[in-house]
Amino acid sequence: MKKRHTVFFVWLLLLYSNGVLHFLQGFLLTRREIHLKSTVSDGVSCCLEPKYRQIIILLIDALRYDFLAYNNSTSTGAIYHNNLPVVHKLMKNDRGVLYQFVADPPTTTMQRLKGMTTGSLPTFIDIGSNFASDELMEDNLISQLTSSSFNVTFMGDETWVALFPKSFQHSFPYPSFDVWDIDTVDRGVEGHLTSEIKKPDWNLLIAHCLGVDHTGHRYGPEHPVMPRKLKEMNSLIEKIVSSMNSQTLLLVMGDHGMTRSGDHGGDSPDEINAGLFAYSPGWKIKFNDSKTQVVSQVDLVPTLSILLGIPIPYSNLGSVILDFVYPEQLFQETHTSEKDNLTIALSYFSDALYINAKQIWRYLETYRRDSPFPEAEFQQLSSKFTHVSDLFDGLKIEGCSQNCLSNSSCCPNHLKLKEFITTAQLFLSEAKEICRSMWARFDLTSIIVGLAIFTSSLLLNATILIDCESTSMKPVSYIGVAGAVFSVLLQRWLIMVVLGLSLAPVLLYLAMAMRFMRFKGFHLTFLVPFFLAVSYTSNSFVVEEPYVVHYLAQSLIWLPLLFKRRTGQFVIRSGLSLSVRLGLAFFRCREEQFPVCEAHSLHRSLTSLSGSNWMLCQRLSLALASCIVLYFILARYLQVDKKIGYLVAIVWCHWIVQSACFLLGGDTSALTFLPKLFYSIFVLKLVRDIYQFVTDNEHAKLATAWRQVSSTEEMWPLYGVLSLHGFFASGHHTSLASIPWEAAFVGISHSSSQGGLTNVLPTFFVSYSTAFSMLLHVMAVPIVALSTTTVRKNKESRVRLANGWLYILFFHAVRLLGCMGAAALHRRHLMVWKIFAPRLLYELLFAVYTSLGIVISLVLFQATM
C-alpha cells in the first residue's frame, strides 16, 4: 500500500467525520441542564401541608396501560388481560384510581427515570445514556427528599443506585441489563419489600421490578410466561396493600410500554402508554367531578412534592395532578360541611397550582438567561404568568388574616377559584409545550455546513475512486489532512474558518484533478448507492428497506448476464442468488408492518415458541447443517487450518446449551464459558490468517469464484449491497425497538462485569452485533480485491486494494449523505424521531465500523506490503 493512498484515506475519514459532527451538532437536539436547587426558603417552590407521611412506588418496568386496565369484553381477550384483578377490586370506591401514564420518547428506562424524578423533558440524544447510568446532577425528587431529612428506601433495578448514589437509607440493588433473566430482580424485591414496609424509618419506598420488561424482550407480550409474571405482580400488590396503614399512598406504575414484539424505545402508542394506579386505604384520591384519565409522567414530580410537603425540583415542567392532592385530611380536622369542603379543596388546588406556576416561571427565566429562548414565545408566557399572578392575588379577601380552612368567610367564591385553576393549568400546559417545541429547534447553519463538508468529501472520494492511479498531488493532500484536523478541533469557532479549512484543499484538489482525469474507473453500477440514498427520503421505503435491498441484490446478480455471457457463471450466480433468497427467512418485521408482516419461525427465539419439541429438533438440526456447510466452505475454498472445525463445534455446542437453558429454565450463567473460549481462539486466529493471506498465495479459491460472478466494474456495487443485505438477513432493522439488547451479555455475566467498565463490553457487543455485516465485508475486501493476482506486492495489487476500500467507503458515505439529507429535509415530519432519525443513527454506526475496518486493514497491509 503506497503512502499516498494512506494519506488519502486519512484525509477522507477526517473530512467525513467533520461533516457528520457539524450536522449532528445542529440536528440532534440537546437541552442545557441547570444545576440550581429549589429550597424551602426560596419563597417559590414550597410548600403545603403534606397529605401523606409515607408513599410506596411499585415501578413495574414496561407495565403497559392495557396490562392494568380491566377488560370487560365478553369475547376472549389477549393473554395479558385481567391478570391484575386486585387493581379492579381496589377501584370499587374513590380510594383507587387508574390513569394512562404517558411517557415522552425515547421510551428507555434511563430517560424515563430522569423524567419521573426531575420533571424535565428528554431530548433524542439522551438515549445514548441508556448504556451508562451516570449520577443525576439536575435537581430531582430524591435529592429534595434527602435535603428535607426524609428517608428513602430502594430495591430493584440497579440503575437507581447509579443515578442517585448515597441517596438511599437502605438499598437492595440487582443487576438489570441481562434481559434474559426474568426472575432475579423480582425475587429480590419480593424478599425485602414486606419487611421494609413494616419498618417505621422511611418516607418514600421505591420497588422497581423488571420481570415484565424482560419477559417482553425474551418472549413477547403474548407468550404464556407474561400472565405468570403479571400474576406475580398481582400477588405482590396484594401483599403491599395488606401491609399499608391509612396514611400511606401506593403508586403502581410503568415507566413505558412495549410493542407486540416486546421491545421499546420509540414513540408508538404501545410504547408510550404506560399505566398508573393509585390507592390509599385512608384518603380519597379521585376528586368528585374530575374527568382526568390521562396524565403525563413528568406530572408525577410536582404532585409527589406537594403530597410530601417538599420543594418542587428546580427544572420541573410537570403539572400537579389535582386528584392526588385532594385535601381530605383537612376536612377531617375541621369537620366542615360538604359545600365548605369543595371550597377548601378548590382553594388548596389553587395554592398548589400557584406554587407549581411560580416554580416553572423561575426555571424559564433562568434558562433564558444563558440559553437561546424564542422571544415571542417567552413574552407570550410572561403575559400568561402575569395574568395567573393577578388572578391569584384577586383570590385574597380584604380584611382576612386567616386562611380558608380556619375561617370559611375568608374563602373566595367558586367562580374565581375555578377561573384561576383553569388559567393556571393552561399556563402550565403551554409552558411545557413551548419548551418541548423549543428543544425541537434545529441549528440550520450547522446542518448546512455539515452537509456542505460531507458533500465535498464525497466528491473527493469519487474523484480518487474514478482515477485512483493517476491522481497524486501530494502537497494538496497533506494540506487537506492538516486543514481537516484543525477544522475538527476548531468546531466551536467561526463557521467560515471551519469551512475554509475543510473545503479549500478539497476544491483545489478537484480543480487540479479535472485537468487530467481519465474516467476509466467509472461504471454505471456506481450509481447504485444513490438510488438507496434517494429512497431514504420516503418513510415507506425506510420501513420496507429490507425488501428493496433484497430486490436490488438479486438484480445486480442477474442483470449482467443480459449483457455479458461468461462460461460457468450461471451455477455460481444461482448459488449466490439462492443464499441471498434464504436471507429473507430472517428478515425482521417493524412495528409499522404489523399485522401484515409476521416474523418467520426461524427468526423467532426458541423461547417464544412454546410447546413444540419438534421445533427444537428442527432448529438444532438446521444449526448443525449450517455449521457443517460453513466448515466445508472455509476448508474447501479458503484452505484454512483444519482446526477451524473446533470453532464451528464451539458455536454449535453453545446453541445447544443455550436452547437447553432457555427451555428448561436453567441458569444462563452456564452460557458464558463457550463464548469466551470462542472469542479467544477467534481473535488470535483472525490476526494470524489475515497476515498469512498477504504473504501466502494459496488463499484465493473463494475469492476467485467470487470474481467469476462479476467483472471489476460490477463487483463492488454488488458487494456493497450484500453488506447491507447481511444486516437485514441477520435479523436486524433500523428502528430503536430493534436494538439487539440480548447480545449485551453473550459470554459474560454480571458477576464478572461489576466495576468501573461495567457497560463497556455490553455496549460493544450490542453495537458489534448490529454492524457486524459491515465490518465483515470491509475486512474481506483484500480477499476479493487480490483474488486474480498471484503477486500481492506489485502496483496492480495496491491499486486494487485501494479501489476496493475507496468504493466501500464511497458506498456507505453516499447512503449516509442520503440519511442526513432526509433527516434534515423531514426535520418537522411527524415520523422524524420514529423513522428518519433512527435510520440516520444506524447509518452512522455502519460508517463507524466501516471506517474502523478500513483503518485496521490499512495498518495490517501497510505493515505487510
Side-chain angles (χ1 to χ4, degrees):
M1 184 67 63
K2 280 191 175 181
K3 189 175 182 181
R4 65 181 175 87
H5 289 145
T6 303
V7 174
F8 283 144
F9 280 115
V10 172
W11 188 10
L12 284 172
L13 292 177
L14 285 172
L15 281 175
Y16 282 137
S17 301
N18 196 14
V20 167
L21 289 173
H22 273 90
F23 181 86
L24 294 182
Q25 184 179 323
F27 179 77
L28 288 184
L29 310 175
T30 57
R31 174 182 62 88
R32 183 177 69 88
E33 287 188 359
I34 294 177
H35 293 162
L36 298 176
K37 308 288 184 181
S38 296
T39 62
V40 176
S41 59
D42 60 20
V44 174
S45 55
C46 190
C47 299
L48 295 179
E49 181 177 341
K51 181 176 181 179
Y52 299 101
R53 296 300 177 185
Q54 292 182 317
I55 295 179
I56 301 171
I57 295 178
L58 177 60
L59 180 56
I60 303 175
D61 210 288
L63 184 67
R64 211 164 65 189
Y65 175 73
D66 54 349
F67 292 179
L68 270 173
Y70 191 80
N71 183 12
N72 291 308
S73 175
T74 55
S75 60
T76 304
I79 195 173
Y80 46 75
H81 283 157
N82 300 342
N83 291 293
L84 294 162
V86 65
V87 172
H88 183 64
K89 176 183 175 182
L90 295 174
M91 287 176 60
K92 294 295 177 63
N93 53 45
D94 289 337
R95 302 286 188 250
V97 62
L98 177 65
Y99 302 96
Q100 284 190 44
F101 200 37
V102 180
D104 292 291
T107 48
T108 52
T109 296
M110 171 60 61
Q111 280 63 47
R112 294 296 80 242
L113 294 185
K114 288 182 178 179
M116 289 189 290
T117 54
T118 65
S120 61
L121 301 175
T123 53
F124 190 79
I125 194 62
D126 285 343
I127 194 171
S129 63
N130 201 51
F131 285 108
S133 311
D134 296 325
E135 180 178 358
L136 184 58
M137 303 305 297
E138 206 166 12
D139 194 12
N140 59 81
L141 197 63
I142 305 300
S143 66
Q144 285 296 336
L145 284 165
T146 55
S147 299
S148 301
S149 300
F150 283 30
N151 294 327
V152 183
T153 296
F154 164 76
M155 59 198 70
D157 184 349
E158 62 183 357
T159 304
W160 287 84
V161 178
L163 279 175
F164 310 105
K166 302 178 181 178
S167 296
F168 303 116
Q169 181 188 24
H170 304 294
S171 63
F172 308 94
Y174 294 90
S176 61
F177 206 47
D178 187 356
V179 295
W180 296 108
D181 183 357
I182 64 175
D183 292 320
T184 298
V185 178
D186 293 1
R187 295 288 181 268
V189 170
E190 186 177 359
H192 292 286
L193 185 56
T194 305
S195 60
E196 290 298 320
I197 289 177
K198 293 178 180 178
K199 295 179 181 179
D201 61 346
W202 59 270
N203 301 100
L204 178 66
L205 190 150
I206 302 169
H208 188 164
C209 297
L210 292 173
V212 172
D213 178 65
H214 288 187
T215 299
H217 284 297
R218 180 171 170 177
Y219 300 103
E222 298 181 0
H223 191 275
V225 175
M226 184 60 78
R228 174 174 74 84
K229 293 307 299 181
L230 291 173
K231 288 173 182 176
E232 288 179 7
M233 295 298 101
N234 187 75
S235 299
L236 190 60
I237 295 172
E238 289 177 337
K239 291 179 182 178
I240 295 173
V241 170
S242 64
S243 304
M244 292 171 60
N245 60 51
S246 61
Q247 305 298 314
T248 304
L249 173 68
L250 169 65
L251 300 176
V252 180
M253 66 180 74
D255 56 343
H256 51 73
M258 65 173 67
T259 64
R260 287 186 53 183
S261 61
D263 300 311
H264 56 88
D267 62 353
S268 67
D270 281 344
E271 292 169 280
I272 65 173
N273 285 324
L276 170 62
F277 171 70
Y279 170 76
S280 175
W283 301 129
K284 180 188 292 187
I285 294 180
K286 190 76 171 180
F287 185 47
N288 293 338
D289 59 351
S290 172
K291 295 181 175 58
T292 304
Q293 295 179 332
V294 180
V295 297
S296 175
Q297 286 191 351
V298 294
D299 294 343
L300 186 67
V301 174
T303 304
L304 292 181
S305 299
I306 295 295
L307 290 176
L308 291 169
I310 61 174
I312 301 175
Y314 200 96
S315 301
N316 164 71
L317 287 171
S319 305
V320 175
I321 305 171
L322 297 184
D323 286 348
F324 282 25
V325 299
Y326 183 68
E328 190 178 4
Q329 77 279 12
L330 301 181
F331 309 154
Q332 294 190 4
E333 294 175 4
T334 58
H335 305 288
T336 53
S337 65
E338 185 173 341
K339 180 181 179 181
D340 289 338
N341 286 348
L342 178 59
T343 304
I344 293 171
L346 293 176
S347 180
Y348 191 87
F349 292 161
S350 299
D351 291 340
L353 287 172
Y354 188 56
I355 291 173
N356 196 179
K358 287 192 298 179
Q359 168 266 315
I360 288 181
W361 178 245
R362 179 185 61 180
Y363 169 67
L364 295 179
E365 286 186 311
T366 304
Y367 193 91
R368 180 174 178 256
R369 282 200 294 265
D370 299 318
S371 302
F373 199 110
E375 186 62 28
E377 283 88 341
F378 186 82
Q379 293 302 326
Q380 175 186 340
L381 289 175
S382 176
S383 174
K384 288 186 178 296
F385 178 72
T386 301
H387 184 44
V388 168
S389 299
D390 292 341
L391 287 178
F392 187 79
D393 291 338
L395 297 178
K396 299 175 182 178
I397 305 296
E398 292 186 9
C400 277
S401 59
Q402 296 176 311
N403 58 30
C404 180
L405 179 62
S406 303
N407 186 350
S408 59
S409 63
C410 292
C411 294
N413 66 57
H414 288 189
L415 292 178
K416 284 189 175 183
L417 287 169
K418 288 182 177 180
E419 181 186 7
F420 171 80
I421 290 172
T422 302
T423 305
Q425 288 180 321
L426 182 62
F427 166 76
L428 295 172
S429 176
E430 288 193 15
K432 181 167 63 176
E433 291 307 314
I434 286 176
C435 287
R436 181 178 278 118
S437 64
M438 177 183 68
W439 292 323
R441 291 180 186 271
F442 303 91
D443 183 354
L444 286 180
T445 302
S446 295
I447 290 176
I448 293 171
V449 169
L451 288 174
I453 295 175
F454 199 90
T455 303
S456 66
S457 310
L458 198 60
L459 290 174
L460 177 64
N461 192 340
T463 302
I464 302 171
L465 177 63
I466 290 172
D467 200 0
C468 176
E469 186 177 353
S470 62
T471 53
S472 55
M473 294 170 286
K474 289 184 181 179
V476 180
S477 60
Y478 284 119
I479 294 173
V481 171
V485 170
F486 281 110
S487 62
V488 170
L489 296 176
L490 304 178
Q491 267 193 80
R492 302 288 181 180
W493 285 33
L494 292 175
I495 291 297
M496 296 306 298
V497 175
V498 173
L499 277 175
L501 290 171
S502 300
L503 298 186
V506 175
L507 296 177
L508 178 61
Y509 186 96
L510 293 176
M512 297 174 64
M514 288 296 177
R515 295 168 53 193
F516 53 85
M517 180 179 292
R518 297 169 292 171
F519 287 84
K520 65 177 184 178
F522 178 77
H523 194 269
L524 286 177
T525 54
F526 281 13
L527 300 178
V528 168
F530 288 97
F531 169 77
L532 288 170
V534 172
S535 72
Y536 295 147
T537 59
S538 167
N539 59 316
S540 58
F541 264 85
V542 175
V543 171
E544 302 293 339
E545 185 180 3
Y547 301 97
V548 175
V549 171
H550 177 264
Y551 178 82
L552 196 56
Q554 294 285 17
S555 301
L556 290 174
I557 291 173
W558 290 109
L559 281 178
L561 279 185
L562 299 177
F563 305 101
K564 295 180 182 179
R565 297 184 179 273
R566 297 188 183 92
T567 305
Q569 278 199 4
F570 183 81
V571 175
I572 296 174
R573 288 180 184 271
S574 297
L576 181 58
S577 178
L578 177 62
S579 64
V580 170
R581 178 64 181 80
L582 290 175
L584 280 177
F586 297 92
F587 278 9
R588 184 168 186 166
C589 299
R590 286 180 65 118
E591 183 68 19
E592 298 89 346
Q593 296 172 306
F594 287 114
V596 177
C597 177
E598 290 290 345
H600 194 284
S601 61
L602 291 176
H603 178 250
R604 295 169 61 189
S605 64
L606 284 171
T607 52
S608 66
L609 303 171
S610 58
S612 52
N613 291 330
W614 67 270
M615 182 64 73
L616 172 61
C617 297
Q618 181 188 39
R619 296 281 289 274
L620 290 178
S621 299
L622 183 61
L624 176 60
S626 65
C627 288
I628 293 174
V629 171
L630 175 62
Y631 175 71
F632 171 77
I633 292 175
L634 294 175
R636 172 70 176 82
Y637 290 101
L638 282 181
Q639 292 186 349
V640 296
D641 190 346
K642 300 298 182 182
K643 293 178 181 177
I644 193 70
Y646 295 134
L647 287 177
V648 177
I650 290 173
V651 172
W652 190 65
C653 290
H654 175 70
W655 287 344
I656 293 178
V657 174
Q658 185 183 53
S659 302
C661 286
F662 289 162
L663 293 180
L664 301 178
D667 186 1
T668 56
S669 62
L671 297 171
T672 61
F673 173 72
L674 290 175
K676 288 178 181 177
L677 181 62
F678 178 86
Y679 296 152
S680 303
I681 298 176
F682 178 78
V683 171
L684 293 174
K685 186 165 181 56
L686 178 66
V687 174
R688 194 200 72 170
D689 285 351
I690 290 177
Y691 181 86
Q692 187 177 1
F693 173 79
V694 181
T695 57
D696 190 350
N697 295 334
E698 298 298 325
H699 291 68
K701 292 190 177 181
L702 180 62
T704 302
W706 165 260
R707 293 289 292 217
Q708 292 178 15
V709 176
S710 302
S711 65
T712 303
E713 295 82 8
E714 302 161 2
M715 175 176 59
W716 296 119
L718 174 58
Y719 193 71
V721 171
L722 289 179
S723 70
L724 187 57
H725 186 275
F727 167 77
F728 295 112
S730 54
H732 299 290
H733 220 308
T734 55
S735 66
L736 296 179
S738 301
I739 296 174
W741 302 113
E742 64 274 11
F745 281 93
V746 176
I748 61 175
S749 62
H750 282 289
S751 59
S752 63
S753 63
Q754 303 302 313
L757 300 178
T758 300
N759 295 296
V760 173
L761 279 179
T763 303
F764 169 73
F765 285 165
V766 170
S767 63
Y768 174 76
S769 171
T770 303
F772 173 75
S773 178
M774 282 63 192
L775 183 62
L776 175 66
H777 280 78
V778 75
M779 293 293 289
V781 163
I783 299 177
V784 179
L786 304 182
S787 59
T788 58
T789 178
T790 57
V791 181
R792 303 292 167 81
K793 301 184 179 181
N794 60 7
K795 179 180 178 181
E796 180 186 0
S797 298
R798 289 192 291 267
V799 172
R800 282 183 176 176
L801 265 178
N803 268 327
W805 284 323
L806 280 169
Y807 184 80
I808 293 298
L809 187 61
F810 176 78
F811 180 85
H812 288 288
V814 170
R815 294 189 305 107
L816 179 54
L817 179 63
C819 291
M820 293 165 64
L825 179 66
H826 297 300
R827 61 188 180 277
R828 295 298 178 191
H829 193 283
L830 180 65
M831 294 291 181
V832 62
W833 302 116
K834 185 174 181 62
I835 291 180
F836 297 110
R839 186 64 189 84
L840 170 63
L841 294 185
Y842 270 90
E843 200 59 51
L844 285 171
L845 181 65
F846 299 160
V848 168
Y849 271 89
T850 299
S851 303
L852 180 64
I854 290 176
V855 170
I856 294 173
S857 301
L858 275 173
V859 172
L860 287 172
F861 282 86
Q862 192 72 44
T864 56
M865 295 190 68

